[in-house]
Amino acid sequence: MLTILLIILGGALSIAYGLWAINDVMRRDAGTQRMQEIAGAIAEGAQAYLRRQYATIAVVGVILFGVLAFLLGVWVAVGFAVGAILSAAAGFIGMNVSVRANVRTAQAATQSLGLGLDVAFKSGAVTGMLVAGLALLGVVIYYAVLTRALGFAPSSRAVIDALVALGFGASLISIFARLGGGIFTKGADVGGDLVGKVEAGIPEDDPRNPATIADNVGDNVGDCAGMAADLFETYAVTVVATMVLAAIFFAGQDILETVLLYPLAIGAACIVTSIAGTFFVKLGPNQSIMGALYKGFIASGVLSIAAIAAVTWAMFGGFSRTLTITGGTSFSTSALFMCAVVGLVVTALIVVITEYYTGTGYRPVRSIAQASVTGHGTNVIQGLAVSLEATALPTIVIVAGIVFSFKLAGLFGIAIAVTAMLALAGMVVALDAFGPVTDNAGGIAEMAGLPKEVRKSTDALDAVGNTTKAVTKGYAIGSAGLGALVLFAAYTSDLNYFIAEANRQGSTAYQYFRGVTPDFSLANPYVVVGLLFGGLIPYLFGGMGMTAVGRAAGAVVEEVRRQFREKPGIMEGTERPDYGRAVDMLTRAAIKEMIVPSLLPVLAPVVTYFVILAVAGKSQAFSAVGAMLLGVIVTGLFVAISMTSGGGAWDNAKKSFEDGFVDEAGVRHMKGSDAHKASVTGDTVGDPYKDTAGPAVNPAIKITNIIALLLLAVLAHS
Amino acid sequence: MLTILLIILGGALSIAYGLWAINDVMRRDAGTQRMQEIAGAIAEGAQAYLRRQYATIAVVGVILFGVLAFLLGVWVAVGFAVGAILSAAAGFIGMNVSVRANVRTAQAATQSLGLGLDVAFKSGAVTGMLVAGLALLGVVIYYAVLTRALGFAPSSRAVIDALVALGFGASLISIFARLGGGIFTKGADVGGDLVGKVEAGIPEDDPRNPATIADNVGDNVGDCAGMAADLFETYAVTVVATMVLAAIFFAGQDILETVLLYPLAIGAACIVTSIAGTFFVKLGPNQSIMGALYKGFIASGVLSIAAIAAVTWAMFGGFSRTLTITGGTSFSTSALFMCAVVGLVVTALIVVITEYYTGTGYRPVRSIAQASVTGHGTNVIQGLAVSLEATALPTIVIVAGIVFSFKLAGLFGIAIAVTAMLALAGMVVALDAFGPVTDNAGGIAEMAGLPKEVRKSTDALDAVGNTTKAVTKGYAIGSAGLGALVLFAAYTSDLNYFIAEANRQGSTAYQYFRGVTPDFSLANPYVVVGLLFGGLIPYLFGGMGMTAVGRAAGAVVEEVRRQFREKPGIMEGTERPDYGRAVDMLTRAAIKEMIVPSLLPVLAPVVTYFVILAVAGKSQAFSAVGAMLLGVIVTGLFVAISMTSGGGAWDNAKKSFEDGFVDEAGVRHMKGSDAHKASVTGDTVGDPYKDTAGPAVNPAIKITNIIALLLLAVLAHS
């Protein structure tokens, strides 16, 4: 119980940090009247969107709550509600801080770049710590309630099902928030650019563009709230899957609860080190923003190694204790610690690789900028080439992570590596969530007519934000790749448990599973069928996401054209555009567009199960669904990394032109040149790639896995 | 022996048809002096390229011949040479007919569309029949030599290894030809367009553009010779893999040789029906080119069902005979026949689906054209969305094909379904290979200043060619998807054979495999490692291919700029551009660029094997390589379908503007409008997608599989 209390304390620290940081941000100067007006409009739009999004999800959520309560009992349904509500809360609070920090960042940037970074980063850190803290608290407190207050055994089905349902609740918010937010933000961005920059010839964030507030709202609901929900889910699902594995691997041993709590303790320790790391983020004399962020990130990482070592030592009474999986292999606690280090190293490498592929100044982004010189077509070709190539090194790193952690401590070692990787979520999300704040700050500076230097500071922060955004997405999907085996193992272990129980002499439990013999060998055609069906999900889902952005952008174009037509004074600056209508229209469009694609990964495992059941029986249906879980990762990993890295590279290739890009022939191409225009095309293409379709693949993968686990639970109860 | 002779007769018929068709094409009027001059330059360039490409491959080939002879014996090396030489011959002859048919098509088109179609289609049919016929003859004659003249037992390792090596020979040509040809053709196309259309403002195929002959050369070396090598390989590898499976599944039974020859007999029968089908390709009164092609295709398909029924009946003495896999399941010969029908149905469905996604007039292409109205960015976004979505239906069809044929006759049933699918290769290639001829004819018409109507006819043929090109690529990759299990089964069966022999009491053979216990379960982390490494190949390979086209196009731009600078008379029409230099420069660039990417799929299985061997031992190394074979299909299928369908759709979306595209608001956008310009960007992006990176994925998949089989053979000899 002491361990549980200490873990809760770690989680609570994140809330305390959040309160302190919110207070610190809110104390800052909120700028002029005009700036506050603009920020107010953004905040209003963002809240309106999120309210409507949550209202829509709530309808689905209440139905699912009822279904789960009916099928699997009330504690499972409560777990689902806990996951959903906490995930929504993390996104909602984070976004509310973000829409207040934006204007304060703009004001701080009038004084210095360092001050702007400070406000923006602190605001991002609120979201980061809340994501990690609330996810941890949700899991640990609900676990304590189930095992202590309600008296369920730690490895009982009641606990496992309830925790899986908690992950499902987080997944539900995540898939809708990522996709809905992504469609909103990129619909506004692409649509606003098309009608503003291209048709009307006014710059980005020009106050005459009726879509400009919507664009800034989008940054908050997509990049802040959507991303928070995504990482909350990734964190919750990974921790839960690791606990499910522990419950099965160490069933009946005295050490069981210690092993169950070990991933949570790692999470708690890393919240502390992440908070400590935030204080290292300070702009050095070289004014390198990425350098400042790296300082914080490296500090967190190094401290985390020490903290995880301490946790391992304290929980297992040293590094040389041997753990033995029930009826299986053994490994030492030092091996578990090394697995955690592997997870941290994988994180570090993915950060470095993603920076290389998306940062200005390196070959990939330069090659796209260079290709812009010969036109729109070659820009896009080179961007696609970079996006394809960018998958190689992360894949090799993930594979190495799998091999090393498996050699150290088997499947459970892989689970601990992923847990350690995600334990840094607080820091990684903090690095990312300052991006939308600075993006907004730039918009406010432009609309409020602040001096050019302010815009320059916010642009510099924003360019780094593009990279850190790509990093976070790469990190989330990388953890999914490394965690694929863990989720698959949770599925097979669950399945094997039900089969063993059903086949026990005289057993009356789980009779649905009696005589089932799944075969996960690649030689089984239904495994290949599952791999292909799973592989299809990210493609079809990605295609739907891209189309949805296209449609939403089209709706924005029409709305803006209508306003320009009906209020001719807008362009002269004598009439005020109706920002609210654009936000409102886009809200409806995004919510409508997010429904069908979100259902794809939810329904896919269920449909696959019943189709194969009808064709080839239970055993093959379970085999196909299992294979589907790996199929969705195998293509999802590549689709997501290529889209997020490629999109980031396109965006920064465009930014290369802001100060003039010197091509291979030594010619300097300025903003407004043909080469710059070509780079804008690439950026537009990259927008839905990196901010809608690509990042939504991660929740799609997770939800497919969670649904498969729930399917087993439901069938077990039937 | 009678069966073998009849199969040889079927193969020989294709040669006879080829000679007749060549003669028929050559008898046609070759047009004016100027047209013949242009055609001569194209032919010269194409031959020069192909000579240099083959010379480069020959160096690699001779080394590999020596290595194979040393490691696996002379008959294996000879098999390799047979595959390589016949594949090269099919491409070489097909291309030589193509560069003569182009000018005759242009001349025929001055008379009527139907006459143009007739010449172009007949020329394409030569390539088609040679591909199917030479592949069939190569396999059957070498099989006869090995088993009859040299006296090897039909299921002996000597025969299996020699046939696998034949497939490897075909693969070697294929990977280089697809990639080298693809880089050449799209380097010329993209580069020529950039510097001609965009910079100099002259139309496509304008004789003042020094890259214009290179562009026409590219159609022949890429779309004709490259495609022929690809399909030759697909045909040869599939038939060989089916035979390997038959040799293992029916080892020691009397029926063995009949089953071994069954796929070859299907091939022979379908050559006859394909030839018959070509005579149904006649332009109807509605002037529908696609309709004319469909008539031929449907006729071939229907006749093939009857022919395969006859072959099955004759070879097995009826439909009710039961075949039993040694130590395994049983199925009837009627089930085998039904599997062949499944293969034909899959082919038909893939054709229809691909036409839907790439044909003008359907939703996907229209949606891209519509998106062009709002700019370059939205055009590319919608094209990418279509390319992602286009993978869904083919995947479902392939999965259904796997399930149905597996239920009918197990793994061997799947092999027969793929065999039947590829047995139509003659017809499918014929449908495709007329595309480059009409493309060339259009170029010649433009350069020789023929009347506009001629260009209109060749453009109409060309638009259909875009669809049939996408169809052929979808068909080739679809067969790879369906055949994935067959190739994997060939690998595992081979591996199990070696392990069983090595472990036999007192055995001294294959001692390398003693005690090896591969585990292909998805729960094995090394299987996931293999899936991810395999999945990476199409991405990295695709990225390299796209980059190579970008570089080659850049080289063309510089060469053309240099000529414009040094010969100012070119643009006034007083000086003749140096077409030869552009061709020569591009030849060198393409050959240089094709080497490294081609080595990726060749080396990947070998490197994976030895890395995992070092880390985790033999058993896991074999598991990882096996999983790699499926990983490369799982992502390769999606990458290839999305690239080829997306590229085709972009191309035809551009063509929608040639006669004016009416958008949703009722506005008509003509050629030269902003919307048309945006569609040109999409077309440029689609070029390397559909003609370089996408189609080269298929040989990359095949060669990975073949290398894995050869690796087993080499290790068995060590």
Side-chain angles (χ1 to χ4, degrees):
Chain A
M1 196 64 198
L2 176 67
T3 315
I4 292 181
L5 288 176
L6 284 173
I7 295 168
I8 293 176
L9 185 66
L13 257 185
S14 74
I15 313 283
Y17 174 85
L19 291 175
W20 170 80
I22 290 173
N23 186 47
D24 187 75
V25 168
M26 292 302 291
R27 276 192 308 110
R28 311 293 175 107
D29 183 1
T32 64
Q33 174 85 28
R34 173 83 186 117
M35 285 163 74
Q36 293 185 35
E37 253 178 58
I38 298 165
I42 296 172
E44 197 186 312
Q47 280 153 353
Y49 173 79
L50 227 53
R51 260 200 304 276
R52 197 173 306 190
Q53 178 179 286
Y54 285 155
T56 309
I57 304 177
V59 175
V60 182
V62 167
I63 295 170
L64 285 174
F65 183 91
V67 171
L68 287 175
F70 175 74
L71 290 175
L72 295 170
V74 69
W75 298 114
V76 170
V78 170
F80 166 76
V82 169
I85 291 168
L86 289 181
S87 170
F92 195 75
I93 299 169
M95 190 211 68
N96 268 298
V97 177
S98 182
V99 295
R100 284 169 181 81
N102 53 10
V103 64
R104 291 168 172 82
T105 300
Q107 181 62 20
T110 59
Q111 295 176 257
S112 80
L113 180 63
L115 218 53
L117 173 64
D118 185 50
V119 179
F121 178 76
K122 229 165 233 155
S123 146
V126 172
T127 310
M129 296 312 152
L130 282 184
V131 163
L134 288 180
L136 184 70
L137 285 175
V139 175
V140 71
I141 293 178
Y142 198 50
Y143 172 80
V145 168
L146 290 166
T147 58
R148 299 304 192 276
L150 297 170
F152 292 113
S155 69
S156 65
R157 291 309 310 174
V159 173
I160 291 178
D161 289 350
L163 290 180
V164 169
L166 193 154
F168 180 48
S171 286
L172 186 79
I173 301 292
S174 169
I175 188 98
F176 282 117
R178 251 309 183 198
L179 205 57
I183 295 168
F184 187 105
T185 181
K186 292 302 126 172
D189 195 351
V190 172
D193 281 2
L194 282 174
V195 77
K197 281 196 215 169
V198 181
E199 284 188 22
I202 52 180
E204 201 171 331
D205 293 323
D206 190 293
R208 287 171 293 178
N209 190 335
T212 189
I213 292 284
D215 188 9
N216 284 295
V217 167
D219 295 336
N220 291 295
V221 301
D223 297 342
C224 184
M227 184 270 298
D230 183 359
L231 268 291
F232 184 99
E233 176 208 33
T234 305
Y235 194 105
V237 169
T238 305
V239 167
V240 164
T242 305
M243 290 175 79
V244 170
L245 268 198
I248 292 164
F249 282 178
F250 298 92
Q253 298 188 30
D254 288 344
I255 195 96
L256 172 64
E257 177 141 281
T258 308
V259 184
L260 268 179
L261 293 178
Y262 183 58
L264 297 172
I266 291 178
C270 290
I271 283 178
V272 180
T273 59
S274 294
I275 292 174
T278 62
F279 295 99
F280 287 81
V281 177
K282 286 270 179 293
L283 207 58
N286 62 354
Q287 298 283 301
S288 160
I289 303 163
M290 203 70 202
L293 298 178
Y294 264 139
K295 269 188 284 181
F297 176 68
I298 292 169
S300 291
V302 172
L303 291 172
S304 293
I305 293 178
I308 294 174
V311 163
T312 309
W313 189 85
M315 289 187 76
F316 296 109
F319 291 116
S320 50
R321 179 150 175 196
T322 302
L323 303 179
T324 305
I325 287 171
T326 311
T329 52
S330 299
F331 45 82
S332 70
T333 48
S334 67
L336 275 193
F337 166 66
M338 288 306 299
C339 288
V341 174
V342 167
L344 296 176
V345 171
V346 167
T347 306
L349 290 175
I350 284 184
V351 170
V352 172
I353 294 166
T354 314
E355 201 209 332
Y356 172 71
Y357 274 103
T358 60
T360 45
Y362 301 104
R363 177 188 57 84
V365 170
R366 282 196 62 83
S367 75
I368 297 175
Q370 173 68 36
S372 313
V373 174
T374 37
H376 300 265
T378 38
N379 166 289
V380 177
I381 289 174
Q382 187 57 30
L384 287 172
V386 166
S387 77
L388 293 167
E389 188 200 309
T391 59
L393 290 178
T395 305
I396 291 170
V397 167
I398 289 162
V399 163
I402 291 174
V403 168
F404 281 117
S405 47
F406 182 75
K407 281 194 80 78
L408 283 163
L411 268 180
F412 195 66
I414 300 179
I416 293 302
V418 195
T419 301
M421 196 173 168
L422 282 170
L424 279 187
M427 189 65 197
V428 175
V429 171
L431 293 183
D432 174 337
F434 87 97
V437 177
T438 58
D439 203 344
N440 261 234
I444 292 171
E446 185 82 31
M447 293 175 76
L450 295 191
K452 272 223 168 312
E453 292 73 53
V454 181
R455 184 79 213 211
K456 209 159 178 181
S457 289
T458 58
D459 271 356
L461 289 165
D462 197 26
V464 172
N466 279 332
T467 298
T468 58
K469 268 157 66 179
V471 163
T472 309
K473 289 159 196 164
Y475 160 85
I477 189 74
S479 73
L482 196 57
L485 264 161
V486 178
L487 288 162
F488 179 74
Y491 173 82
T492 47
S493 302
D494 250 24
L495 182 58
N496 288 336
Y497 170 84
F498 289 131
I499 293 170
E501 291 292 311
N503 287 342
R504 258 220 320 258
Q505 191 91 45
S507 162
T508 56
Y510 312 133
Q511 286 308 298
Y512 187 87
F513 293 87
R514 181 180 279 271
V516 168
T517 52
D519 168 15
F520 295 111
S521 165
L522 293 176
N524 176 5
Y526 293 99
V527 165
V528 175
V529 165
L531 284 174
L532 290 175
F533 269 146
L536 176 56
I537 294 175
Y539 271 84
L540 189 52
F541 185 75
M544 286 173 163
M546 300 280 283
T547 307
V549 171
R551 264 199 300 257
V556 169
V557 168
E558 277 169 34
E559 168 64 21
V560 172
R561 281 182 186 159
R562 192 191 59 75
Q563 291 202 20
F564 279 156
R565 205 171 44 237
E566 292 176 8
K567 300 183 176 185
I570 292 178
M571 280 303 282
E572 282 110 65
T574 56
E575 259 182 297
R576 234 186 110 159
D578 188 347
Y579 301 119
R581 266 196 72 134
V583 172
D584 202 52
M585 185 274 314
L586 199 52
T587 297
R588 278 197 308 275
I591 303 249
K592 198 182 99 199
E593 295 281 356
M594 81 181 177
I595 306 283
V596 176
S598 297
L599 290 178
L600 175 70
V602 174
L603 294 180
V606 180
V607 170
T608 301
Y609 179 78
F610 285 104
V611 168
I612 304 296
L613 176 70
V615 174
K618 278 180 201 173
S619 299
Q620 298 293 24
F622 285 119
S623 308
V625 170
M628 179 175 223
L629 306 186
L630 281 180
V632 71
I633 274 282
V634 170
T635 66
L637 184 71
F638 295 103
V639 169
I641 295 180
S642 68
M643 285 184 170
T644 54
S645 289
W650 262 315
D651 199 341
N652 277 339
K654 183 196 69 175
K655 286 208 191 302
S656 308
F657 287 90
E658 315 242 302
D659 302 319
F661 170 76
V662 181
D663 72 12
E664 281 168 5
V667 181
R668 179 179 284 269
H669 302 265
M670 297 306 294
K671 207 170 164 173
S673 63
D674 281 345
H676 175 248
K677 279 182 193 146
S679 78
V680 171
T681 294
D683 178 42
T684 307
V685 173
D687 272 340
Y689 235 47
K690 74 179 197 302
D691 289 323
T692 313
V697 166
N698 184 36
I701 292 170
K702 293 283 176 358
I703 209 163
T704 309
N705 279 278
I706 286 281
I707 292 282
L709 288 176
L710 281 176
L711 179 67
L712 291 184
V714 169
L715 294 174
H717 275 70
S718 71
Chain B
M1 197 63 199
L2 176 68
T3 315
I4 292 181
L5 287 177
L6 284 172
I7 295 168
I8 293 177
L9 185 66
L13 256 185
S14 75
I15 314 284
Y17 174 85
L19 291 174
W20 170 79
I22 290 173
N23 185 48
D24 186 76
V25 168
M26 292 303 290
R27 277 192 306 110
R28 310 293 175 107
D29 182 1
T32 65
Q33 175 84 30
R34 173 82 186 118
M35 285 163 73
Q36 292 185 36
E37 253 178 56
I38 297 164
I42 296 172
E44 198 187 307
Q47 280 153 354
Y49 173 79
L50 227 53
R51 261 200 304 276
R52 200 176 300 194
Q53 178 179 284
Y54 286 155
T56 308
I57 304 177
V59 175
V60 182
V62 167
I63 296 171
L64 285 174
F65 183 91
V67 171
L68 286 175
F70 175 74
L71 289 175
L72 296 170
V74 69
W75 297 115
V76 170
V78 169
F80 166 76
V82 168
I85 291 168
L86 288 181
S87 170
F92 195 76
I93 299 170
M95 190 212 67
N96 269 297
V97 177
S98 181
V99 294
R100 284 169 181 80
N102 53 10
V103 65
R104 289 167 173 83
T105 301
Q107 180 62 21
T110 59
Q111 297 177 257
S112 80
L113 180 63
L115 217 55
L117 172 64
D118 185 50
V119 179
F121 179 76
K122 228 166 233 155
S123 147
V126 172
T127 309
M129 297 311 153
L130 282 184
V131 163
L134 288 180
L136 184 70
L137 285 174
V139 174
V140 71
I141 292 179
Y142 198 50
Y143 172 80
V145 168
L146 290 166
T147 57
R148 300 303 192 277
L150 297 169
F152 292 114
S155 70
S156 65
R157 292 308 311 171
V159 173
I160 291 178
D161 289 350
L163 290 179
V164 169
L166 192 153
F168 180 48
S171 287
L172 186 78
I173 300 292
S174 167
I175 188 99
F176 282 116
R178 250 309 183 197
L179 205 57
I183 295 168
F184 187 105
T185 180
K186 292 301 124 173
D189 195 352
V190 174
D193 281 1
L194 282 174
V195 77
K197 282 197 217 169
V198 182
E199 285 187 23
I202 51 180
E204 202 170 330
D205 293 323
D206 190 292
R208 289 171 292 178
N209 191 335
T212 190
I213 292 285
D215 187 10
N216 284 294
V217 167
D219 295 336
N220 291 296
V221 302
D223 297 342
C224 183
M227 183 270 297
D230 183 359
L231 269 290
F232 184 99
E233 177 209 31
T234 305
Y235 194 107
V237 169
T238 305
V239 167
V240 165
T242 306
M243 290 175 79
V244 170
L245 268 199
I248 292 164
F249 281 178
F250 298 93
Q253 299 188 30
D254 287 345
I255 195 97
L256 172 63
E257 176 139 283
T258 308
V259 184
L260 269 178
L261 293 177
Y262 183 58
L264 298 173
I266 291 177
C270 289
I271 283 178
V272 179
T273 59
S274 293
I275 292 174
T278 61
F279 294 99
F280 286 81
V281 177
K282 286 267 178 294
L283 207 58
N286 63 353
Q287 297 284 301
S288 159
I289 303 162
M290 202 70 203
L293 298 178
Y294 265 140
K295 268 188 284 181
F297 176 69
I298 291 169
S300 290
V302 172
L303 291 173
S304 292
I305 293 179
I308 295 174
V311 163
T312 310
W313 189 84
M315 288 187 77
F316 295 109
F319 290 118
S320 51
R321 179 148 172 198
T322 301
L323 303 180
T324 305
I325 287 171
T326 311
T329 52
S330 300
F331 44 83
S332 70
T333 48
S334 66
L336 275 193
F337 165 67
M338 287 307 297
C339 287
V341 174
V342 167
L344 296 176
V345 171
V346 168
T347 306
L349 289 175
I350 285 184
V351 170
V352 173
I353 293 166
T354 314
E355 201 210 331
Y356 173 71
Y357 273 103
T358 60
T360 45
Y362 301 104
R363 176 187 59 83
V365 169
R366 282 195 63 83
S367 75
I368 299 175
Q370 172 68 34
S372 312
V373 174
T374 37
H376 300 265
T378 38
N379 166 289
V380 178
I381 289 175
Q382 187 57 31
L384 287 172
V386 166
S387 77
L388 292 167
E389 188 201 306
T391 59
L393 290 178
T395 305
I396 291 170
V397 167
I398 289 161
V399 163
I402 291 175
V403 169
F404 281 118
S405 47
F406 182 76
K407 280 195 80 78
L408 284 163
L411 269 179
F412 194 66
I414 300 178
I416 292 301
V418 194
T419 301
M421 196 172 168
L422 283 169
L424 279 187
M427 189 65 196
V428 175
V429 171
L431 293 184
D432 173 337
F434 88 97
V437 176
T438 58
D439 204 343
N440 262 233
I444 292 170
E446 185 83 30
M447 293 175 76
L450 296 191
K452 271 222 168 313
E453 292 72 53
V454 181
R455 183 79 213 211
K456 209 160 178 181
S457 288
T458 59
D459 271 356
L461 289 164
D462 197 25
V464 172
N466 279 332
T467 298
T468 58
K469 268 157 67 179
V471 163
T472 309
K473 289 160 196 162
Y475 160 85
I477 189 73
S479 74
L482 196 56
L485 264 162
V486 179
L487 288 162
F488 179 74
Y491 173 83
T492 48
S493 302
D494 250 23
L495 182 58
N496 288 336
Y497 170 82
F498 289 130
I499 294 170
E501 291 293 309
N503 286 342
R504 258 221 319 258
Q505 192 91 44
S507 163
T508 57
Y510 311 133
Q511 286 308 297
Y512 186 87
F513 294 88
R514 180 181 280 271
V516 168
T517 51
D519 168 15
F520 294 112
S521 164
L522 294 176
N524 177 3
Y526 294 98
V527 164
V528 175
V529 165
L531 284 173
L532 290 175
F533 270 146
L536 176 56
I537 294 174
Y539 272 82
L540 190 52
F541 184 76
M544 287 172 162
M546 300 280 284
T547 308
V549 170
R551 266 199 300 258
V556 169
V557 168
E558 277 170 34
E559 168 64 21
V560 172
R561 281 183 187 158
R562 193 192 58 76
Q563 291 203 20
F564 280 156
R565 205 171 47 237
E566 292 177 8
K567 300 185 178 185
I570 292 178
M571 280 303 282
E572 281 109 63
T574 56
E575 260 183 296
R576 233 185 112 160
D578 188 348
Y579 301 120
R581 266 196 71 135
V583 172
D584 203 50
M585 185 276 314
L586 199 52
T587 298
R588 278 198 308 275
I591 305 252
K592 199 182 98 200
E593 295 282 356
M594 81 181 176
I595 305 285
V596 175
S598 298
L599 290 178
L600 176 69
V602 175
L603 294 180
V606 180
V607 170
T608 302
Y609 178 78
F610 286 105
V611 168
I612 304 295
L613 177 69
V615 174
K618 276 181 202 173
S619 299
Q620 298 293 24
F622 285 120
S623 308
V625 170
M628 178 175 224
L629 306 186
L630 281 180
V632 70
I633 274 284
V634 171
T635 66
L637 183 72
F638 295 103
V639 169
I641 294 180
S642 68
M643 286 183 169
T644 54
S645 290
W650 262 315
D651 199 340
N652 277 339
K654 183 196 70 174
K655 286 207 191 303
S656 308
F657 287 91
E658 315 241 303
D659 302 319
F661 169 76
V662 182
D663 71 12
E664 281 169 5
V667 181
R668 179 178 284 272
H669 301 265
M670 298 305 296
K671 208 169 165 174
S673 64
D674 280 345
H676 175 247
K677 279 182 192 147
S679 78
V680 171
T681 293
D683 177 43
T684 308
V685 173
D687 271 340
Y689 235 48
K690 74 179 198 300
D691 289 323
T692 313
V697 167
N698 185 36
I701 292 170
K702 293 281 173 9
I703 209 163
T704 309
N705 279 278
I706 286 280
I707 291 282
L709 288 177
L710 281 176
L711 179 67
L712 290 184
V714 169
L715 293 174
H717 275 70
S718 71

